[in-house]
Amino acid sequence: MKLAGRLLLLLLLLLLAVGGHGRVRVKTPFLGLTDGFGSLLPKLSRPANHSRIFYAVMFDAGSTGTRVHVYTFIQSDSGNVVSPASSTQEELPILDNEMFHSIKPGLSAYADSPEAVQHVFDESPFLVPDGSVGVMNGTYEGILAWISVNYLTGHLSAQAKSTVGILDLGGGSTQITFLPNQRETIERVPVADYVARFGILNTSFELYTYSYLGNGLMAARLATLGALGAEGLEWRVFKSSCLPKKFRGEWSFGELTYRVSGDPDGFAGYKLCYQEVLKVVKGIIHQPYKLEDSNVFYAFSYYFDRAVDAGLIDEAHGGMLEVRDFKKRAKEVCDEMTKSPPVSPFLCMDMTYITCLLKDGFGFKESAVLKLTKKVNNVEASWALGAMLEHFHNLKIQ
């Protein structure tokens, strides 16, 4: 569809986290624009023939907030037209820029009145046909995020000789996705669900990827406290040596509120805390074979947020950290909380869990380097861009 000399390809994907079990996805082409919409589109950052420009819009409506990505793409110099209807092109579009905005609350705020959400779609200019809603699981989300980051870092080009891996730590689940350098890494997976395959640019990719539901940071807090599936929340107090001894308060997760405290009659500190969080990781997280022979890993979400809270990186710029940096800071935070109350009572537990997850879970060496960031080349690092590329190229991920 050409409008005003521009090729416009707009895609709506709606993703909703439902009880930590996955995301709901709505995918549909955008079939109409108002006359004034063109003035809202982002400006090009480089010269280009207007007939070679197209746009894509992605809505990520999650449980805690709604985010919109407006991508500006430039058609490659070869003259091939990239469109959702074509899956034979062998060149990726050039991403010129992204316009990003987020608002709160998320869809969980409408859990008791979904007809409020239905009304928005009915009144919107988007076409949302029947059967366009499906569930996206965490593993698929990890694959799309891997595609996003490797596209943005130039590792999906035909000339690329290496790729980067990704680590994502959410509230309910955590994901790991990378392209192994050793065939045996794929051959040694516990079950076939750890492997995903797709092809792009005449290249086949076989990824090691898995999403661990229940091992996100908030879910790990719950398990560490021994509150998973517990009853009698109105009178029980859940104690942990990962919390300051004199701390006592309430913590909410999954629409439930828990009374939590340190152990005033016991001990607190890194070693005891590590023993507690190890129970949440050991025997659950699979260690990939020859993980250290793989490529650089990008780490997102709570890896980034808690590193900022702990003073390890700058929030505006992110940074490179070794696994031992998480361990060292976890020890400091846990030891300091025995002397004075920390700003965040859960920082010791969270930093210790991240350390344990990386070392005893995935099997990273303490010298392994992670790149912590929220943006890659000024673009939000998320699954959204990968979903767009998957739609353009019909990757047939399996």
Side-chain angles (χ1 to χ4, degrees):
M1 172 178 62
K2 288 189 177 181
L3 291 177
R6 300 185 180 187
L7 179 62
L8 302 177
L9 305 176
L10 288 93
L11 176 70
L12 169 67
L13 275 83
L14 170 67
L15 290 105
L16 165 64
V18 183
H21 291 283
R23 294 177 178 266
V24 174
R25 181 167 91 164
V26 179
K27 181 170 67 176
T28 174
F30 183 80
L31 298 182
L33 290 173
T34 62
D35 293 336
F37 187 79
S39 63
L40 300 178
L41 295 172
K43 305 299 182 182
L44 284 173
S45 64
R46 70 190 82 185
N49 184 327
H50 279 195
S51 65
R52 296 171 54 240
I53 303 167
F54 64 94
Y55 302 91
V57 178
M58 182 79 71
F59 287 93
D60 172 3
S63 61
T64 59
T66 299
R67 296 156 287 275
V68 61
H69 307 256
V70 181
Y71 300 111
T72 304
F73 290 100
I74 300 176
Q75 183 183 313
S76 65
D77 292 334
S78 66
N80 292 336
V81 175
V82 181
S83 73
S86 171
S87 60
T88 60
Q89 67 276 7
E90 296 303 332
E91 293 188 20
L92 291 170
I94 298 171
L95 177 62
D96 182 69
N97 61 49
E98 174 202 39
M99 183 172 70
F100 175 80
H101 186 65
S102 63
I103 61 172
K104 293 185 177 181
L107 286 186
S108 60
Y110 304 96
D112 296 328
S113 57
E115 65 278 358
V117 178
Q118 180 67 47
H119 176 73
V120 171
F121 281 106
D122 290 341
E123 297 299 317
S124 77
F126 291 94
L127 173 65
V128 186
D130 294 338
S132 59
V133 178
V135 175
M136 175 188 289
N137 62 36
T139 297
Y140 194 63
E141 185 178 339
I143 296 168
L144 295 179
W146 183 91
I147 293 173
S148 294
V149 174
N150 279 276
Y151 170 85
L152 292 170
T153 55
H155 290 97
L156 278 188
S157 66
Q159 296 77 26
K161 296 182 179 179
S162 63
T163 60
V164 298
I166 66 160
L167 295 167
D168 200 339
L169 181 60
S173 63
T174 186
Q175 291 90 31
I176 178 173
T177 305
F178 66 96
L179 182 67
N181 291 328
Q182 302 284 339
R183 177 64 193 171
E184 202 166 351
T185 303
I186 296 296
E187 294 174 346
R188 289 193 178 192
V189 296
V191 292
D193 290 347
Y194 281 77
V195 181
R197 301 174 179 87
F198 68 92
I200 191 171
L201 299 177
N202 293 323
T203 303
S204 296
F205 291 95
E206 196 169 39
L207 302 179
Y208 177 104
T209 180
Y210 202 74
S211 177
Y212 294 91
L213 182 62
N215 282 93
L217 194 67
M218 299 298 127
R221 285 184 185 179
L222 194 64
T224 301
L225 288 164
L228 192 63
E231 298 180 351
L233 302 186
E234 65 278 2
W235 56 266
R236 292 188 61 178
V237 178
F238 299 94
K239 301 178 181 179
S240 172
S241 56
C242 297
L243 298 173
K245 293 182 63 174
K246 296 182 180 181
F247 171 75
R248 189 180 182 92
E250 292 186 343
W251 172 66
S252 297
F253 176 65
E255 300 183 358
L256 294 175
T257 299
Y258 303 86
R259 298 167 64 193
V260 300
S261 76
D263 188 354
D265 301 320
F267 297 93
Y270 176 77
K271 288 186 177 180
L272 289 174
C273 181
Y274 202 94
Q275 292 175 9
E276 289 187 17
V277 300
L278 185 60
K279 298 175 183 177
V280 184
V281 171
K282 194 170 185 179
I284 298 174
I285 306 296
H286 175 256
Q287 292 192 4
Y289 175 76
K290 292 291 185 181
L291 178 64
E292 296 300 327
D293 291 342
S294 298
N295 309 110
V296 173
F297 275 80
Y298 279 66
F300 304 107
S301 303
Y302 278 118
Y303 287 115
F304 182 95
D305 296 336
R306 293 316 256 165
V308 170
D309 297 336
L312 289 174
I313 60 173
D314 176 72
E315 185 173 13
H317 303 98
M320 304 283 284
L321 292 178
E322 293 184 352
V323 172
R324 63 165 57 99
D325 294 325
F326 281 102
K327 178 181 178 181
K328 181 174 181 288
R329 189 66 183 120
K331 287 183 175 180
E332 293 171 348
V333 170
C334 292
D335 291 341
E336 290 170 0
M337 76 176 184
T338 62
K339 303 173 184 177
S340 59
V343 175
S344 171
F346 280 97
L347 190 57
C348 167
M349 181 184 291
D350 293 347
M351 292 296 289
T352 303
Y353 176 71
I354 289 174
T355 303
C356 185
L357 178 64
L358 292 172
K359 286 171 54 14
D360 291 283
F362 297 127
F364 283 100
K365 292 180 181 177
E366 291 193 6
S367 58
V369 177
L370 305 179
K371 185 172 180 60
L372 285 83
T373 184
K374 287 202 170 185
K375 291 191 175 186
V376 179
N377 293 332
N378 295 317
V379 176
E380 291 290 320
S382 76
W383 54 265
L385 179 58
M388 197 68 67
L389 295 172
E390 191 264 345
H391 182 71
F392 289 156
H393 282 261
N394 189 21
L395 302 183
K396 298 180 179 177
I397 298 172
Q398 56 183 329

CSV table of all heavy atoms in Angstrom, one decimal, residues 209-229:
chain,number,residue,atom,x,y,z
A,209,THR,N,18.3,-22.2,23.7
A,209,THR,CA,17.4,-21.3,24.3
A,209,THR,C,16.4,-21.9,25.3
A,209,THR,O,15.9,-23.0,25.0
A,209,THR,CB,16.6,-20.5,23.2
A,209,THR,OG1,15.8,-19.5,23.9
A,209,THR,CG2,15.8,-21.4,22.4
A,210,TYR,N,16.2,-21.2,26.4
A,210,TYR,CA,15.2,-21.8,27.4
A,210,TYR,C,14.7,-20.7,28.3
A,210,TYR,O,15.5,-19.7,28.6
A,210,TYR,CB,15.8,-22.9,28.2
A,210,TYR,CG,14.8,-23.8,28.8
A,210,TYR,CD1,14.1,-24.8,28.0
A,210,TYR,CD2,14.4,-23.7,30.1
A,210,TYR,CE1,13.1,-25.6,28.5
A,210,TYR,CE2,13.4,-24.6,30.6
A,210,TYR,CZ,12.8,-25.5,29.8
A,210,TYR,OH,11.8,-26.3,30.3
A,211,SER,N,13.5,-20.8,28.7
A,211,SER,CA,12.9,-19.9,29.6
A,211,SER,C,12.5,-20.6,30.9
A,211,SER,O,11.7,-21.6,30.8
A,211,SER,CB,11.6,-19.2,29.0
A,211,SER,OG,11.0,-18.3,29.9
A,212,TYR,N,13.0,-20.2,32.0
A,212,TYR,CA,12.7,-20.9,33.3
A,212,TYR,C,11.6,-20.1,34.1
A,212,TYR,O,11.9,-19.1,34.7
A,212,TYR,CB,14.0,-21.0,34.1
A,212,TYR,CG,15.1,-21.8,33.5
A,212,TYR,CD1,16.0,-21.3,32.7
A,212,TYR,CD2,15.1,-23.2,33.8
A,212,TYR,CE1,17.0,-22.1,32.1
A,212,TYR,CE2,16.1,-24.0,33.3
A,212,TYR,CZ,17.0,-23.5,32.4
A,212,TYR,OH,18.0,-24.3,31.9
A,213,LEU,N,10.4,-20.6,34.0
A,213,LEU,CA,9.3,-20.0,34.7
A,213,LEU,C,9.5,-20.3,36.2
A,213,LEU,O,9.7,-21.4,36.6
A,213,LEU,CB,8.0,-20.6,34.2
A,213,LEU,CG,6.7,-20.0,34.9
A,213,LEU,CD1,6.6,-18.5,34.6
A,213,LEU,CD2,5.5,-20.8,34.4
A,214,GLY,N,9.4,-19.3,37.0
A,214,GLY,CA,9.6,-19.4,38.5
A,214,GLY,C,11.0,-19.0,38.9
A,214,GLY,O,11.3,-19.1,40.1
A,215,ASN,N,11.9,-18.7,38.0
A,215,ASN,CA,13.2,-18.3,38.3
A,215,ASN,C,13.5,-16.8,38.0
A,215,ASN,O,14.7,-16.4,37.9
A,215,ASN,CB,14.3,-19.2,37.7
A,215,ASN,CG,14.4,-20.5,38.4
A,215,ASN,OD1,13.8,-21.5,38.0
A,215,ASN,ND2,15.3,-20.5,39.4
A,216,GLY,N,12.5,-16.1,37.8
A,216,GLY,CA,12.6,-14.6,37.7
A,216,GLY,C,12.9,-14.1,39.0
A,216,GLY,O,12.8,-14.8,40.0
A,217,LEU,N,13.3,-12.8,39.1
A,217,LEU,CA,13.8,-12.3,40.4
A,217,LEU,C,12.7,-12.2,41.5
A,217,LEU,O,13.0,-12.6,42.6
A,217,LEU,CB,14.4,-10.9,40.1
A,217,LEU,CG,15.2,-10.3,41.3
A,217,LEU,CD1,16.5,-11.1,41.5
A,217,LEU,CD2,15.5,-8.8,41.1
A,218,MET,N,11.5,-11.8,41.1
A,218,MET,CA,10.5,-11.8,42.1
A,218,MET,C,10.0,-13.2,42.5
A,218,MET,O,9.8,-13.4,43.7
A,218,MET,CB,9.3,-11.0,41.6
A,218,MET,CG,9.6,-9.5,41.2
A,218,MET,SD,10.1,-8.6,42.6
A,218,MET,CE,11.7,-7.9,42.0
A,219,ALA,N,9.9,-14.1,41.6
A,219,ALA,CA,9.5,-15.5,41.9
A,219,ALA,C,10.6,-16.1,42.8
A,219,ALA,O,10.3,-16.9,43.7
A,219,ALA,CB,9.3,-16.3,40.6
A,220,ALA,N,11.9,-15.8,42.5
A,220,ALA,CA,13.0,-16.3,43.3
A,220,ALA,C,12.9,-15.8,44.7
A,220,ALA,O,13.3,-16.5,45.7
A,220,ALA,CB,14.3,-16.0,42.6
A,221,ARG,N,12.5,-14.6,44.9
A,221,ARG,CA,12.4,-14.0,46.3
A,221,ARG,C,11.3,-14.9,47.0
A,221,ARG,O,11.6,-15.3,48.2
A,221,ARG,CB,11.9,-12.6,46.2
A,221,ARG,CG,12.9,-11.5,45.9
A,221,ARG,CD,12.2,-10.2,46.0
A,221,ARG,NE,13.1,-9.1,45.5
A,221,ARG,CZ,12.7,-7.8,45.5
A,221,ARG,NH1,11.5,-7.5,45.9
A,221,ARG,NH2,13.5,-6.9,45.1
A,222,LEU,N,10.2,-15.2,46.3
A,222,LEU,CA,9.2,-15.9,47.0
A,222,LEU,C,9.7,-17.3,47.4
A,222,LEU,O,9.4,-17.8,48.5
A,222,LEU,CB,8.0,-16.1,46.0
A,222,LEU,CG,6.7,-16.5,46.5
A,222,LEU,CD1,6.1,-15.5,47.5
A,222,LEU,CD2,5.7,-16.8,45.3
A,223,ALA,N,10.4,-18.0,46.5
A,223,ALA,CA,10.9,-19.3,46.8
A,223,ALA,C,12.0,-19.3,47.9
A,223,ALA,O,12.0,-20.2,48.7
A,223,ALA,CB,11.5,-19.9,45.5
A,224,THR,N,12.8,-18.3,47.8
A,224,THR,CA,13.9,-18.2,48.9
A,224,THR,C,13.3,-18.0,50.3
A,224,THR,O,13.7,-18.5,51.2
A,224,THR,CB,14.8,-17.0,48.5
A,224,THR,OG1,15.4,-17.2,47.3
A,224,THR,CG2,15.9,-16.8,49.6
A,225,LEU,N,12.2,-17.2,50.3
A,225,LEU,CA,11.5,-17.0,51.6
A,225,LEU,C,10.7,-18.2,52.1
A,225,LEU,O,10.2,-18.2,53.2
A,225,LEU,CB,10.5,-15.8,51.4
A,225,LEU,CG,11.2,-14.4,51.3
A,225,LEU,CD1,10.2,-13.4,50.8
A,225,LEU,CD2,11.7,-14.0,52.7
A,226,GLY,N,10.6,-19.2,51.2
A,226,GLY,CA,9.8,-20.4,51.5
A,226,GLY,C,8.3,-20.1,51.5
A,226,GLY,O,7.5,-20.8,52.2
A,227,ALA,N,7.9,-19.1,50.7
A,227,ALA,CA,6.5,-18.7,50.7
A,227,ALA,C,5.8,-19.2,49.5
A,227,ALA,O,4.6,-18.9,49.3
A,227,ALA,CB,6.4,-17.1,50.7
A,228,LEU,N,6.5,-20.0,48.7
A,228,LEU,CA,5.8,-20.5,47.4
A,228,LEU,C,4.7,-21.5,47.8
A,228,LEU,O,4.9,-22.5,48.4
A,228,LEU,CB,6.9,-21.2,46.6
A,228,LEU,CG,6.5,-21.5,45.1
A,228,LEU,CD1,6.2,-20.3,44.3
A,228,LEU,CD2,7.6,-22.3,44.5
A,229,GLY,N,3.5,-21.1,47.4
A,229,GLY,CA,2.4,-22.0,47.7
A,229,GLY,C,1.9,-22.0,49.1
A,229,GLY,O,1.1,-22.9,49.5
